[in-house]
Amino acid sequence: MPADLAVIGLGPYGLPLAQAAVAAGIPTIGYRTGPEAGSLSAAEQRRMLAQGFRTTAHPAELGRVRTAVICAPTPRAADGGLDLGLVETAARTLATQLRPHTTVILESPAPPGTTEGPLLRLLESGSGLRAGRDFHLAYSPSRVDPGNRDFTPANTPKVIGGLTSACTESAAAFYGRITDKVVRARGPREAETVQLLEANFRHVNIALVNEMAALCHDLGIDLWDVIRCAETKPFGFQAFRPGPGVGGHSVPQDLTAHAGRTLRMAELAQQVNGRMPHYVVQRAAALLNEHGKSARGARVLLLGVTYKADLADEQGSPAHEVAIRLMELGASVSYHDPHVPTWHVLDRPVPRADSLYEAAADADLTILLQQHRTYDLQGLSVKAQLLLDTRGATPTGAAHRL
């Protein structure tokens, strides 16, 4: 059966889209843009293959679909903005195969103006076709939340902004086969800015609660109780929780390189969140000192080194910097993570604990960095000599909380 959809980029944005499309009965092919780490388990990927999904390395197949969605990763560039290199490479590849009446959608995080700027130019110059006349062009921000069982592509509204109203409607017709609700933006720039707002909203609010964590610790206030009480307010408040840093594929965006502007709140949030691994290590060293031990020579066990609970994805995980800073203090670092069989820091392998309880009992300090579902936190709090909980996951009084 010929494919109806091509997903270009099979990382954290593309694989979930392909999974949702295949589940909806849409014949789908995947085209890689480079080394990409997805968030789907091996079992989920096998199920997709059984449902007819396949990957291809032949660009010619991109010209046989009705809809092509670019989901290439856009990591942080040296100037603080987003690196659009893989998006541009994907656009050039697609342009050589683009046929009239195809709908092209960008889902990768991108600065406002990308779709009707560099993406449009690359597609038109490489294909000889005219966007909005010969083919449809639109932007739709990815709203993937890996591991979230409550909100999936089917029940998460999709925002769409097309170059023309016809472009918007064509993209809406495609997404209407996957999701229950489609939200039409005025155009691509508005849809791109939705992604900008949503990403920075998360980072700014995490930064606020991270600063509150440090303040409450200094004042002897139980922040976790503060959050528990505050989230009972039915309006004007959304609960965020502190942690050792912010990981994942969605990064706060600096628009200086693209628009000569910076979002000061996002810039400050990045600074606050970027300091959290250092703060965790400070707390760890102080905790060891309070119990008559030095960080130098201390045996420290890190629990959970992925960026998100119950996933194998390490993208941007603060665990790496926590480990580096502990090593710089002279600590002997080991780790445990049910999703990460081997772990390297500074290109060196970190010893993995096979027996979790024995390792926690042997370590001078255990630091919970990620709350995986398989962790028995009550049991760990009993076994560990010292337990620093950066997620507020342990029972009250069972551990030292961030």
Side-chain angles (χ1 to χ4, degrees), residues 231-295:
E231 66 182 345
T232 63
K233 185 179 180 181
F235 55 90
F237 182 81
Q238 180 179 348
F240 284 77
R241 287 166 175 78
V246 181
H249 300 267
S250 176
V251 299
Q253 292 184 32
D254 183 351
L255 299 180
T256 304
H258 300 280
R261 293 286 300 275
T262 184
L263 292 170
R264 294 177 60 193
M265 289 293 292
E267 186 178 40
L268 181 58
Q270 184 179 343
Q271 294 172 7
V272 171
N273 293 330
R275 288 198 299 264
M276 288 308 292
H278 175 63
Y279 178 70
V280 168
V281 173
Q282 279 186 319
R283 290 284 303 277
L287 191 57
L288 285 165
N289 188 58
E290 289 170 10
H291 288 79
K293 298 177 182 179
S294 169

Side-chain angles (χ1 to χ4, degrees), residues 47-388:
R47 192 176 305 118
M48 289 173 61
L49 293 173
Q51 293 173 318
F53 175 71
R54 61 184 177 86
T55 60
T56 181
H58 303 292
E61 294 202 49
L62 302 179
R64 301 172 187 154
V65 298
R66 289 196 297 175
T67 305
V69 184
I70 298 175
C71 299
T74 52
R76 184 183 299 283
D79 61 8
L82 298 179
D83 183 350
L84 299 177
L86 291 176
V87 169
E88 293 170 352
T89 299
R92 291 189 184 95
T93 302
L94 176 61
T96 62
Q97 310 297 327
L98 194 59
R99 296 189 307 174
H101 311 301
T102 303
T103 299
V104 180
I105 305 167
L106 177 62
E107 275 207 11
S108 305
T114 300
T115 303
E116 56 187 357
L119 179 61
L120 181 149
R121 290 193 294 271
L122 287 170
L123 292 173
E124 289 188 339
S125 62
S127 67
L129 302 176
R130 178 84 175 270
R133 184 190 67 187
D134 302 317
F135 68 94
H136 298 297
L137 182 61
Y139 183 85
S140 179
S142 176
R143 284 178 160 176
V144 172
D145 186 13
N148 191 324
R149 299 181 179 183
D150 296 322
F151 294 102
T152 65
N155 64 2
T156 301
K158 281 294 287 181
V159 173
I160 300 161
L163 187 66
T164 66
S165 59
C167 292
T168 297
E169 293 310 314
S170 181
F174 162 68
Y175 283 115
R177 302 167 68 185
I178 296 175
T179 186
D180 296 334
K181 183 176 182 180
V182 170
V183 179
R184 293 163 175 79
R186 285 192 172 185
R189 293 167 66 90
E190 284 76 14
E192 290 161 340
T193 308
V194 168
Q195 186 276 327
L196 176 72
L197 176 60
E198 291 177 352
N200 285 326
F201 178 87
R202 170 177 175 253
H203 284 267
V204 167
N205 281 280
I206 291 174
L208 172 61
V209 78
N210 278 337
E211 284 212 301
M212 290 291 295
L215 173 68
C216 288
H217 174 72
D218 292 344
L219 298 178
I221 296 170
D222 185 346
L223 170 67
W224 304 96
D225 191 57
V226 172
I227 295 173
R228 179 185 66 84
C229 295
E231 66 182 345
T232 63
K233 185 179 180 181
F235 55 90
F237 182 81
Q238 180 179 348
F240 284 77
R241 287 166 175 78
V246 181
H249 300 267
S250 176
V251 299
Q253 292 184 32
D254 183 351
L255 299 180
T256 304
H258 300 280
R261 293 286 300 275
T262 184
L263 292 170
R264 294 177 60 193
M265 289 293 292
E267 186 178 40
L268 181 58
Q270 184 179 343
Q271 294 172 7
V272 171
N273 293 330
R275 288 198 299 264
M276 288 308 292
H278 175 63
Y279 178 70
V280 168
V281 173
Q282 279 186 319
R283 290 284 303 277
L287 191 57
L288 285 165
N289 188 58
E290 289 170 10
H291 288 79
K293 298 177 182 179
S294 169
R296 180 168 297 279
R299 299 181 301 275
V300 180
L301 174 66
L302 303 181
L303 300 185
V305 298
T306 60
Y307 91 87
K308 191 173 184 180
D310 305 316
L311 295 179
D313 197 339
E314 299 173 41
Q315 176 69 32
S317 171
H320 287 79
E321 187 174 347
V322 170
I324 291 170
R325 290 182 176 273
L326 285 169
M327 292 173 182
E328 290 173 345
L329 292 179
S332 175
V333 177
S334 61
Y335 86 101
H336 180 277
D337 194 305
H339 303 282
V340 182
T342 61
W343 191 45
H344 289 73
V345 173
L346 297 177
D347 295 324
R348 299 196 301 267
V350 179
R352 186 182 191 275
D354 294 321
S355 174
L356 177 56
Y357 289 133
E358 289 181 13
D362 184 60
D364 296 306
L365 174 64
T366 298
I367 305 178
L368 178 69
L369 295 176
Q370 195 54 266
Q371 183 190 353
H372 292 310
R373 192 178 295 113
T374 56
Y375 285 154
D376 173 11
L377 300 180
Q378 180 68 59
L380 280 170
S381 64
V382 173
K383 292 289 185 179
Q385 295 186 41
L386 280 175
L387 178 58
L388 176 58

